[in-house]
Amino acid sequence: MGKFIERKPWLFLDEYKGKIFNGEWPTFPELLKIQVQRFAERPLFTDFEGPNGSKNTLTYNQVYQKVIKLALWLCENGIKKGDRVVISGKNSPEWAVSYLASFFAGAIAVPIDCALRQNEVCNLIKTAEPKITLTDDDKLDFIKKEFPGVIAKSLNPTIAEDYVYNLKAHAGADESALPASQQPACDDTAVILFTSGTTGNPKGVMLSHKNLISDAFIAQTNLDIYPTDVFYALLPIHHAYTMQAAFICPISCGAEIVFGKSMAVSKLMRELCEGKISVMLGVPLLYNKLLAGIRKGIAAKGPLVVGLLGAFQGLSFIIKKLTGKNIGKLLFQSVLRQANIYTLRVAICGGGPLAASVFRTYNAMGIDFIQGYGLTETSPIITLNPIENFKLISVGRDFSPYEEIKIINAKEGVTSKGRGMIGEIAVKGPMVMQGYYKMPEETAKMFTEDGFLKTGDLGWIDSEHYIMLCGRAKNLIVTNGGKNVYPEEIEDAFQLCDNVQQITVQGYTVEGDDASEEIEALIYPSDDLIKKLGIERTAAGAEEKILEEINKDVSAVNKNLQPYQRITRVTILSQPLEMTTTQKVKRNYK
């Protein structure tokens, strides 16, 4: 590996310490004020929701003015320091302004997934007990009816009298009118992010201004980002991953954010192209789909072109690893332009491990492609693969000396990524949560006696501080022979399989005199496979034909697995499994 590059991207803050902020880190209001002084007329928020889908852009100063106006309105409508403001809507400048305005009013922002069902939203609002909710139109009337004591306003301009940008604040957009006593401190809670239990007892992660702001800057010790960058916020922004990597991080360096609301291919392609996106973040499913489209386009050019570009990929990757020089952008210029990703400087993948082959291919084609790892409880980023020294099998290097990561209850083991002392990953640092909202006992269970947060993830760490992730501890399958099987590793092997839309792996018991646990794959076949076979999913005899094709893919994967890892039973699903916000299958099938 090459020499690590030491970065301290927060040094510019020294100029403002004692003037705009006095804490260890600035709060959200203080950070925005600093960036307005530095980049007042630079673009901050952009979307394509103008007339006929035209481009709209707000500068740092314009955003600041809207934030102040909305914060004044929040204060005039009863918001006091520590009150909760619920924000639930699609990605938009209005969502972002509402989020920032909550902090200027001294409130705690509570972002809620706009895709949740009404009973789930109800449960979260009851738990959060907000004074005000800011939401998309489709839930506005419902919230007003169910919570008459809660003020509800719209994030959508179609309802003019309730639209957040049209709300009248009598004091005008003057920050001095905001109550000084309500301004948050560095260690005050900034947000509550609900991670689970939307139909039971919701678990809300409390993150302070220090948690989120420190993580934004510390993450940049493994990645250079610039004021000239344009970030693409396509994944739901209420989720910690998007909120940090595509919202807080760009503001921390003075960059621009383009808000995407839909993964429809035509809209995605247009926003990538016209937005001149330079930093994109996504989940494995998104990057796999994008790469599948690129490969289909290459395949259509014939075997000669496929072979030539394959050779170019190998050459480009070797040169990049050995010298750090990125010649892929030149070799694959036409391919990247056709896919509307030629302007991409960096692609970040989180929300789950990406197949090493996908990781390698993007890098070979000239995109600086990196993986990160974290969880909501850590704001969320705790490792990131440096562009200069990435490892294909790793989810990233830690941020030492600014955090500590250790492996607890470690035992020597072997995985597809190699051999190591495998155990539960635990972390300590300024990005670690304050705790779960009104759940002191649940909070205590998450920490070791010496103050490390237990992530629930199994993995190992090498001598250069890179994390190799195996999977969730609760998903681990232990065979009768005492071998550990990590379902996620098997599932990852199917990421580029065109015939498989969803796969989830679990153990099952083989009954008999010598009962044993073996490996089962639950598979929802892709639409492409159904179309290729020329059948209907529910037609008589369809399952047998589908299973025949799927078994070919399973056999191919099994050849590269250890005997104890091999899939011995396949179940074809007639309906897709429920997905999380980051497009991972929810493991609630047992």
Side-chain angles (χ1 to χ4, degrees):
M1 300 298 295
K3 183 181 178 180
F4 293 152
I5 299 173
E6 185 178 1
R7 303 178 175 96
K8 289 187 178 180
W10 53 83
L11 289 179
F12 75 89
L13 293 174
D14 290 348
E15 181 183 344
Y16 302 93
K17 194 154 191 177
K19 300 175 184 176
I20 292 182
F21 77 103
N22 294 302
E24 183 181 358
W25 295 92
T27 62
F28 276 98
E30 291 164 345
L31 179 62
L32 184 60
K33 284 186 277 188
I34 289 169
Q35 300 302 55
V36 168
Q37 284 198 17
R38 300 174 74 214
F39 306 110
E41 300 311 314
R42 286 190 59 80
L44 175 49
F45 297 155
T46 294
D47 69 6
F48 288 86
E49 299 296 323
N52 300 314
S54 59
K55 184 178 179 181
N56 288 323
T57 296
L58 296 172
T59 65
Y60 272 80
N61 188 52
Q62 288 170 328
V63 167
Y64 177 72
Q65 296 300 321
K66 290 181 180 296
V67 165
I68 295 299
K69 183 176 179 181
L70 183 55
L72 286 167
W73 180 87
L74 291 171
C75 291
E76 290 181 359
N77 281 272
I79 288 294
K80 302 298 182 186
K81 188 172 183 177
D83 287 341
R84 273 77 60 206
V85 173
V86 162
I87 307 163
S88 180
K90 296 182 179 67
N91 294 2
S92 66
E94 290 85 351
W95 190 103
V97 165
S98 300
Y99 181 82
L100 293 169
S102 300
F103 306 137
F104 274 82
I108 298 170
V110 185
I112 290 179
D113 186 353
C114 64
L116 292 177
R117 293 179 284 268
Q118 288 187 352
N119 65 313
E120 295 172 324
V121 172
C122 233
N123 195 30
L124 295 184
I125 290 178
K126 284 178 182 176
T127 302
E129 299 179 307
K131 280 191 177 179
I132 292 175
T133 65
L134 305 171
T135 182
D136 280 347
D137 294 354
D138 58 349
K139 289 190 173 65
L140 190 62
D141 291 339
F142 154 72
I143 291 173
K144 286 181 176 180
K145 179 182 177 182
E146 293 294 323
F147 300 94
V150 176
I151 299 171
K153 295 297 178 182
S154 175
L155 295 171
N156 194 310
T158 57
I159 301 185
E161 67 276 12
D162 274 338
Y163 181 41
V164 293
Y165 283 0
N166 290 343
L167 300 176
K168 303 298 182 185
H170 300 300
D174 181 359
E175 187 192 347
S176 63
L178 290 170
S181 60
Q182 291 190 197
Q183 290 305 294
C186 181
D187 290 314
D188 286 343
T189 302
V191 300
I192 298 172
L193 301 180
F194 288 105
T195 62
S196 60
T198 52
T199 55
N201 195 12
K203 187 180 286 184
V205 176
M206 297 186 296
L207 298 174
S208 67
H209 291 263
K210 174 183 175 179
N211 289 153
L212 291 163
I213 301 298
S214 68
D215 197 45
F217 283 109
I218 291 172
Q220 292 170 55
T221 60
N222 282 359
L223 173 67
D224 283 328
I225 54 177
Y226 307 101
T228 51
D229 275 322
V230 181
F231 285 71
Y232 193 28
L234 177 63
L235 299 174
I237 200 169
H238 76 274
H239 192 275
Y241 171 37
T242 312
M243 184 184 298
Q244 181 60 269
F247 181 71
I248 303 172
C249 279
I251 291 176
S252 76
C253 74
E256 179 184 359
I257 303 163
V258 173
F259 294 97
K261 292 187 179 182
S262 169
M263 285 197 188
V265 175
S266 59
K267 193 167 179 60
L268 172 67
M269 291 297 104
R270 184 196 169 199
E271 289 172 350
L272 281 170
C273 180
E274 295 186 24
K276 294 181 171 57
I277 307 299
S278 65
V279 181
M280 176 180 177
L281 73 157
V283 293
L285 181 63
L286 175 63
Y287 289 119
N288 290 337
K289 282 187 173 181
L290 185 58
L291 184 56
I294 291 172
R295 285 180 166 173
K296 282 182 181 178
I298 292 173
K301 298 181 184 295
L304 184 62
V305 173
V306 171
L308 184 62
L309 291 181
F312 282 170
Q313 280 187 24
L315 176 65
S316 173
F317 186 79
I318 290 170
I319 290 174
K320 186 172 185 179
K321 285 297 287 182
L322 293 178
T323 70
K325 295 187 183 299
N326 186 346
I327 67 167
K329 270 281 179 79
L330 178 63
L331 295 175
F332 293 91
Q333 182 174 162
S334 62
V335 173
L336 298 175
R337 287 192 185 280
Q338 188 172 356
N340 289 317
I341 57 174
Y342 182 73
T343 60
L344 273 189
R345 186 177 66 81
V346 177
I348 303 170
C349 185
L354 188 74
S357 59
V358 179
F359 193 175
R360 180 188 180 104
T361 300
Y362 277 106
N363 270 289
M365 290 194 302
I367 303 296
D368 283 330
F369 195 94
I370 57 175
Q371 289 196 81
Y373 162 65
L375 53 161
T376 303
E377 288 86 345
T378 58
S379 303
I381 310 170
I382 53 176
T383 70
L384 202 62
N385 245 320
I387 289 172
E388 307 85 3
N389 296 291
F390 65 86
K391 292 188 179 184
L392 290 176
I393 61 171
S394 174
V395 290
R397 195 182 76 206
D398 72 8
F399 302 128
S400 58
Y402 309 108
E403 72 175 0
E404 295 178 70
I405 291 182
K406 69 177 181 178
I407 306 298
I408 57 178
N409 302 319
K411 295 180 181 178
E412 188 171 6
V414 180
T415 74
S416 61
K417 300 178 178 69
R419 179 183 295 273
M421 296 299 293
I422 299 170
E424 185 176 4
I425 299 165
V427 61
K428 181 189 285 187
M431 67 289 293
V432 173
M433 70 170 181
Q434 296 175 307
Y436 294 121
Y437 184 58
K438 294 184 177 180
M439 287 185 170
E441 292 181 1
E442 290 294 322
T443 299
K445 290 177 186 176
M446 290 293 293
F447 289 88
T448 63
E449 290 185 1
D450 55 351
F452 280 77
L453 176 81
K454 296 181 287 186
T455 66
D457 289 315
L458 297 174
W460 52 284
I461 186 167
D462 70 12
S463 60
E464 295 180 302
H465 294 256
Y466 285 77
I467 295 289
M468 267 46 80
L469 193 63
C470 298
R472 296 292 291 171
K474 63 183 179 182
N475 299 336
L476 177 67
I477 301 167
V478 182
T479 69
N480 280 37
K483 298 289 189 180
N484 289 345
V485 177
Y486 306 97
E488 293 89 344
E489 288 197 332
I490 301 172
E491 293 161 4
D492 290 346
F494 288 86
Q495 283 193 13
L496 291 180
C497 180
D498 292 337
N499 293 333
V500 175
Q501 184 166 322
Q502 290 180 337
I503 178 170
T504 191
V505 169
Q506 63 182 16
Y508 76 99
T509 302
V510 179
E511 300 298 340
D513 295 335
D514 186 22
S516 62
E517 188 168 34
E518 296 188 10
I519 310 302
E520 176 184 24
L522 308 179
I523 292 176
Y524 182 70
S526 68
D527 293 336
D528 285 345
L529 175 59
I530 302 302
K531 184 178 179 180
K532 182 172 68 177
L533 292 174
I535 58 175
E536 297 289 335
R537 288 183 187 272
T538 55
E543 185 172 335
E544 289 77 9
K545 293 179 180 178
I546 293 169
L547 186 58
E548 183 180 350
E549 291 298 314
I550 293 293
N551 276 335
K552 294 176 185 177
D553 295 314
V554 170
S555 295
V557 169
N558 274 345
K559 288 178 183 177
N560 295 314
L561 299 175
Q562 295 296 320
Y564 62 86
Q565 293 179 302
R566 289 172 186 162
I567 297 166
T568 56
R569 186 168 80 182
V570 175
T571 298
I572 301 298
L573 303 174
S574 58
Q575 297 291 329
L577 293 162
E578 190 176 358
M579 305 282 279
T580 67
T581 299
T582 52
Q583 301 301 296
K584 291 186 291 189
V585 170
K586 288 188 177 181
R587 293 182 184 270
N588 54 3
Y589 44 81
K590 286 188 176 181

